[in-house]
Amino acid sequence: MTKLAVFDCDGTLVDGQADVLWAMNHAFELAGLPLPKPAQVRRLVGLSLPVAIRQLAPKADHQRQLEITENYKTAFRKRREEGLLHEPLYDGIAELLRDLHAGGWNLAVATGKSDRGLTACLAGHGLTDLFISLQTADRHPSKPHPAMLEAALFEAGAQASDAVMIGDTSFDMQMAKAANVRAIGVAWGYHTPDDLTATGADFVAQAMDDLRGELDRFS
């Protein structure tokens, strides 16, 4: 059996909330539009950027939405190049990933980040070599479409019944259900445990030890 654990990134592996909010505010400000409320932005983390922008600026025309999207990408990239980006790992995540890898799990990521953003994030934390498959919004429809998860299953040579999707948002849980994969939510991210349960979570980890224990029981 090929066991596969697929992780979301923002809100599950790393906490990049401050930079996401900063870049979104900067993007809207450059476009001359009112700034979105932080709670609105946090609720949409995990979606592909263009999809999130459309929901944050529904009255803007298509060209203005594209402008906001490009503003965000440019601001985020510049912040990374200047060494100002702060995406710390949640406590215990690095150890968990290394233990799973050593224990025979295949690991993957399915994220709304770009290829560039995910590559830089994992490399910065020295985790790149742990993952067999990296799926991003650059090559797939936005969550909760199951394309990213299905691609990870294919690349790992794993069956849906032998895989788990671990994420912090309703979009992750819905994606898992659409791909017939066990859905594990984490309570330290952007959506509440109730949100996760309501959208299909089979289990919600309140702390890292809970997640570790649930994965230890998976067979």
Side-chain angles (χ1 to χ4, degrees), residues 86-103:
H86 186 56
E87 296 179 301
L89 293 169
Y90 287 102
D91 288 344
I93 274 289
E95 294 82 2
L96 174 64
L97 293 173
R98 293 191 177 101
D99 287 347
L100 290 172
H101 186 265

Side-chain angles (χ1 to χ4, degrees), residues 13 17 42 60 66 130 134 145-146 201 204 207 211:
L13 298 179
Q17 181 177 162
R42 285 193 291 267
L66 289 178
L130 299 179
L134 301 177
H145 193 284
V204 178
L211 178 55

Side-chain angles (χ1 to χ4, degrees), residues 74-210:
T74 300
F76 212 85
R77 183 168 57 249
K78 186 170 186 244
R79 199 166 177 85
R80 177 178 289 110
E81 290 170 350
E82 292 175 348
L84 299 175
L85 202 63
H86 186 56
E87 296 179 301
L89 293 169
Y90 287 102
D91 288 344
I93 274 289
E95 294 82 2
L96 174 64
L97 293 173
R98 293 191 177 101
D99 287 347
L100 290 172
H101 186 265
W105 281 82
N106 284 326
L107 304 180
V109 176
T111 177
K113 279 184 176 294
S114 65
D115 285 333
R116 183 199 301 265
L118 178 60
T119 297
C121 179
L122 295 180
H125 291 297
L127 298 175
T128 306
D129 292 344
L130 299 179
F131 294 96
I132 194 171
S133 179
L134 301 177
Q135 305 301 327
T136 75
D138 284 348
R139 289 169 282 116
H140 297 288
S142 178
K143 298 175 183 180
H145 193 284
M148 280 192 276
L149 195 43
E150 290 169 346
L153 288 167
F154 177 78
E155 290 190 0
Q159 300 297 314
S161 58
D162 298 328
V164 295
M165 175 66 211
I166 301 155
D168 68 298
T169 70
S170 302
F171 318 125
D172 297 312
M173 304 301 100
Q174 292 167 330
M175 178 174 68
K177 294 294 105 176
N180 295 313
V181 167
R182 181 169 175 77
I184 298 179
V186 299
W188 51 80
Y190 294 103
H191 290 188
T192 68
D194 286 344
D195 291 331
L196 300 173
T197 300
T199 50
D202 296 296
F203 178 82
V204 178
Q206 298 292 330
M208 203 63 63
D209 284 346
D210 297 333

